[in-house]
Every structure is written in structure tokens, then in C-alpha cells.
């Protein structure tokens, strides 16, 4: 597949993208020191895939609620606008978590589905990750960072799976990739402070800011060959075929097929690899839920209403 990832004559960009992806907001979480108004929740619910309100409790004293958390899956564009307007009522509202999803909607005729899955699974490297973090597979989903063995939640993570329906096209077994900003600081670092900022995300720039694509297989094969030869020279009484199996087996157990694992053990070689530009992006965000304007539920919370249109006066005569 090396000829597929790169372009002709060693270029980092092929003549046509390997895959075209449709970006959309999969999950967003907002936090507030106040209770979320019931009128806001009545508008958010029909404008999202699902919604959950959860308290954030004090670690030392669980009886104390520090903030409230509003989790929204697959928000509509109108839902994001409602959150922005709600800030006039609750200035303490802030974005706590943001997941941007990329569903593959088309692939190049020169590649197979398995080629695209291999590209997404083994050659996408999450930037700014700790060197000690490990790639983790759980229930047919691959994560860039294993959360269970960490003392704190990572600032960023990615998730990849290919066995569920697309929330955008409805395609069965769609290839689904997510960039997950898991903490408020990482959301702010991406230039997203208000809900309205999420509406203006440039999908290509957002992806390149957090993920780099590199093909490490050729240099990894050279490293393994040198390790095998050096080990055989050091143990002349051991069968060479046995040594070769042990060395290659060790690299498989370390998941060296993934570029992030390669970066962990061979950082200098990783830095020398060129970044590849082989994914195409739709120019703007898609929305997994339709806009539902149900202003009858607004009640007295008038900040949720759209701004009134000003009638321009005409001069007569």
C-alpha cells in the first residue's frame, strides 16, 4: 500500500485523495455553575440525537455540586445557535468537551476499503500526545490514548471504528474517525471559546492541527532487518530463523504497525518522516440532526429567540 499513500516521485500528496470525509460535530459538552434552564433543555432535545444533564461533584465532598454538565450528541446547527444565545442568560456557560467526527463518504477507485481502514488505523498520529501513552483497542474501536491506566483524563484522543452506520449518510459499516478534545483547555487551545466558534471550524485545518499522517513501514522494515542481523551476530549458536521470528514478534507485540507506537520507540526516525496529505475534506461542517425551531417552548427566556428583524423605513417623496 506504500504506492497508494504517497504521490508520484516521492511526493507527499497523491494525484487524487485516497478518501473524502464528511466532518460534523458528534458530541459537545457545556458546563455551567447554574442549573440549565428547563426552557433551554426543551429546545435542545429535539435539536440533537440525545441529551443528558449531569452534576460535577466535589472530589473531597460529593455532597457539593461544583458545576452542571450538559452532554449533547449530534447537535444540529440550530442547537449550537441556541447555546450561543443562552450565554446572554448565563455568562458562565463554557464548552467543556468537543468531538469532531469524520465519516468516509467516498474513496479513490485505486484503493480498496481495507486499504482505507489500514490508513486510518495505522498511519494517523495524534499530535501533542505523551510519549508514554499507548494505542489501545477496545471492542472494535481503536483509541490513540489508553485512558484506563492514566491518573488524569487526556487532553486529546482519537477514536476509529468501521462497524456502525454513518450518522450523516446512513451507510452501513461506515469508516468513522473522531478527534476528541476531552478537556476545556484543549478546546480553548483550538480557538473555540464560544459555541459560535464551533460553527466556523475549517475541517481541513482542524484535522491537520491535531493529526499528522505518516508512512513508517519502509524505515521500520530496515530497523527490524538491522536488529535481526545484529542479534544473529551476537548469538551464533542460535538458529537464525528462530531469532528472526522473536525479533519480529517483539515488534508486533509493541504494536509497531501503528505510527504512534513507532514514534514512541524511535522518535528521531519518526521526526524525519514526511507528512502526507492524502485525505480530502468537505469545505464545511455537516449536521447529523435537523433544525427544529420550536419557539413555543421559550416562555420567558427571550434570549433564546432569534434577533428581531429591523424594518427599514422608506422616505416618501
Amino acid at each position: 500500500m506504500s504506492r497508494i499513500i504517497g504521490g508520484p516521485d516521492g511526493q507527499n500528496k497523491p494525484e487524487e485523495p485516497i478518501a473524502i470525509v464528511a466532518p460534523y460535530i458528534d458530541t459537545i459538552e457545556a458546563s455551567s455553575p447554574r442549573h440549565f434552564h428547563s426552557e433551554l433543555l426543551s429546545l435542545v432535545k429535539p435539536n440533537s440525537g440525545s441529551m443528558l444533564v449531569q452534576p460535577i461533584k466535589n472530589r473531597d465532598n460529593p455532597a457539593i455540586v461544583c458545576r452542571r454538565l450538559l452532554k449533547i450528541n449530534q447537535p444540529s446547527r440550530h442547537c449550537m445557535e441556541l447555546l450561543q444565545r443562552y450565554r446572554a442568560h448565563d455568562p458562565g456557560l463554557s464548552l467543556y468537551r468537543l468531538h469532531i467526527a469524520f465519516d468516509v463518504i467516498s474513496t479513490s477507485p485505486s484503493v480498496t476499503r481495507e486499504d482505507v481502514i489500514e490508513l486510518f488505523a495505522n498511519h494517523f498520529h495524534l499530535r501533542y500526545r505523551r510519549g508514554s501513552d499507548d494505542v489501545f483497542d477496545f471492542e472494535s474501536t481503536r483509541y490513540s490514548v489508553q485512558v484506563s491506566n492514566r491518573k488524569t483524563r487526556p487532553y486529546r484522543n482519537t477514536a476509529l471504528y468501521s462497524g456502525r452506520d454513518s450518522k450523516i449518510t446512513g451507510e452501513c459499516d461506515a469508516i468513522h474517525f473522531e478527534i476528541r478534545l476531552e478537556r476545556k483547555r484543549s478546546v480553548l487551545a483550538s480557538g473555540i471559546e464560544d459555541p459560535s466558534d464551533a460553527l466556523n471550524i475549517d475541517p481541513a485545518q482542524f484535522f491537520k492541527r491535531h493529526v499528522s499522517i505518516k508512512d513508517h513501514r519502509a524505515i521500520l522494515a530496515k530497523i527490524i532487518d538491522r536488529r535481526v542481523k545484529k542479534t544473529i551476530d551476537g548469538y551464533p549458536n542460535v538458529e537464525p530463523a528462530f531469532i528472526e521470528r522473536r525479533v519480529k514478534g517483539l515488534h508486533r507485540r509493541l504494536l509497531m504497525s501503528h505510527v504512534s507506537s513507532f514514534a514512541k520507540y524511535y522518535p528521531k526516525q519518526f521526526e524525519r518522516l514526511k507528512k502526507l496529505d492524502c485525505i480530502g475534506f468537505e469545505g464545511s461542517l455537516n449536521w447529523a440532526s435537523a433544525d427544529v425551531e420550536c419557539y413555543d417552548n421559550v416562555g420567558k427566556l427571550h434570549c433564546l429567540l432569534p434577533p428581531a428583524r429591523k424594518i427599514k423605513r422608506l422616505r416618501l417623496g
Side-chain angles (χ1 to χ4, degrees):
M1 186 178 155
S2 58
R3 63 175 183 84
I4 298 174
I5 293 182
D9 301 327
Q11 299 178 7
N12 67 336
K13 188 173 183 178
E15 296 178 354
E16 62 177 346
I18 292 178
I20 305 294
V21 296
Y24 64 96
I25 298 177
D26 187 72
T27 302
I28 188 169
E29 296 184 9
S31 67
S32 173
R34 304 181 184 180
H35 287 281
F36 287 101
H37 206 286
S38 60
E39 294 171 358
L40 171 69
L41 301 180
S42 67
L43 293 175
V44 168
K45 188 174 182 179
N47 281 279
S48 61
S50 62
M51 178 193 72
L52 176 66
V53 179
Q54 193 174 32
I56 302 178
K57 299 182 179 180
N58 188 292
R59 292 182 179 180
D60 299 327
N61 187 358
I64 300 176
V65 177
C66 303
R67 298 179 70 90
R68 277 81 182 175
L69 194 65
L70 175 59
K71 300 180 179 181
I72 306 173
N73 291 321
Q74 296 89 50
S76 67
R77 182 182 184 88
H78 184 53
C79 179
M80 302 299 296
E81 295 173 348
L82 289 171
L83 291 176
Q84 181 62 35
R85 295 175 197 161
Y86 185 72
R87 291 204 67 181
H89 172 75
D90 184 2
L93 179 75
S94 62
L95 296 186
Y96 185 77
R97 183 178 294 175
L98 179 65
H99 296 177
I100 303 296
F102 301 85
D103 282 4
V104 175
I105 56 175
S106 65
T107 59
S108 171
S110 61
V111 301
T112 64
R113 171 183 167 86
E114 288 70 24
D115 291 333
V116 178
I117 293 176
E118 181 187 349
L119 171 66
F120 278 65
N122 293 327
H123 300 284
F124 281 16
H125 173 71
L126 177 65
R127 303 178 66 189
Y128 315 115
R129 69 201 297 274
R130 290 181 183 176
S132 58
D133 287 330
D134 294 319
V135 178
F136 180 60
D137 293 329
F138 179 73
E139 293 184 353
S140 71
T141 301
R142 171 161 287 187
Y143 301 92
S144 289
V145 179
Q146 184 175 358
V147 181
S148 58
N149 294 333
R150 276 172 137 260
K151 295 182 179 179
T152 59
R153 188 173 69 249
Y155 284 95
R156 302 165 188 85
N157 206 345
T158 65
L160 169 70
Y161 56 81
S162 57
R164 307 176 194 173
D165 297 346
S166 171
K167 300 180 181 70
I168 296 296
T169 64
E171 177 188 356
C172 298
D173 299 332
I175 302 174
H176 176 94
F177 180 78
E178 291 182 24
I179 298 176
R180 298 181 172 183
L181 307 181
E182 299 284 28
R183 301 178 71 172
K184 180 179 178 180
R185 184 178 296 180
S186 58
V187 176
L188 293 175
S190 298
I192 303 171
E193 184 175 357
D194 298 329
S196 60
D197 295 331
L199 297 174
N200 302 318
I201 290 176
D202 185 315
Q205 291 183 2
F206 183 87
F207 182 91
K208 293 175 183 178
R209 180 187 182 96
H210 296 95
V211 174
S212 59
I213 307 175
K214 295 188 176 185
D215 187 4
H216 65 296
R217 291 169 300 174
I219 190 171
L220 177 61
K222 293 180 180 179
I223 291 174
I224 292 177
D225 289 342
R226 287 199 298 265
R227 291 291 178 100
V228 170
K229 184 178 180 181
K230 185 177 180 179
T231 306
I232 290 175
D233 294 340
Y235 296 89
N237 297 327
V238 180
E239 183 67 28
F242 174 77
I243 293 177
E244 183 178 359
R245 289 196 302 269
R246 291 294 299 271
V247 172
K248 291 183 177 180
L250 175 61
H251 283 78
R252 282 195 299 270
R253 288 194 296 273
L254 295 175
L255 201 61
M256 297 297 289
S257 59
H258 197 286
V259 68
S260 294
S261 299
F262 179 81
K264 177 180 179 179
Y265 294 99
Y266 302 106
K268 294 182 180 180
Q269 291 85 341
F270 172 80
E271 291 298 329
R272 290 199 294 265
L273 293 173
K274 61 183 179 182
K275 296 180 181 179
L276 303 175
D277 185 8
C278 55
I279 300 296
F281 301 86
E282 291 193 330
S284 59
L285 291 176
N286 294 270
W287 301 97
S289 298
D291 292 340
V292 180
E293 298 184 356
C294 44
Y295 294 124
D296 295 338
N297 300 327
V298 169
K300 297 181 180 180
L301 200 61
H302 297 295
C303 66
L304 297 179
L305 293 172
R309 296 181 179 177
K310 295 182 179 180
I311 300 176
K312 187 177 182 180
R313 296 182 179 181
L314 299 177
R315 293 183 179 181
L316 300 177

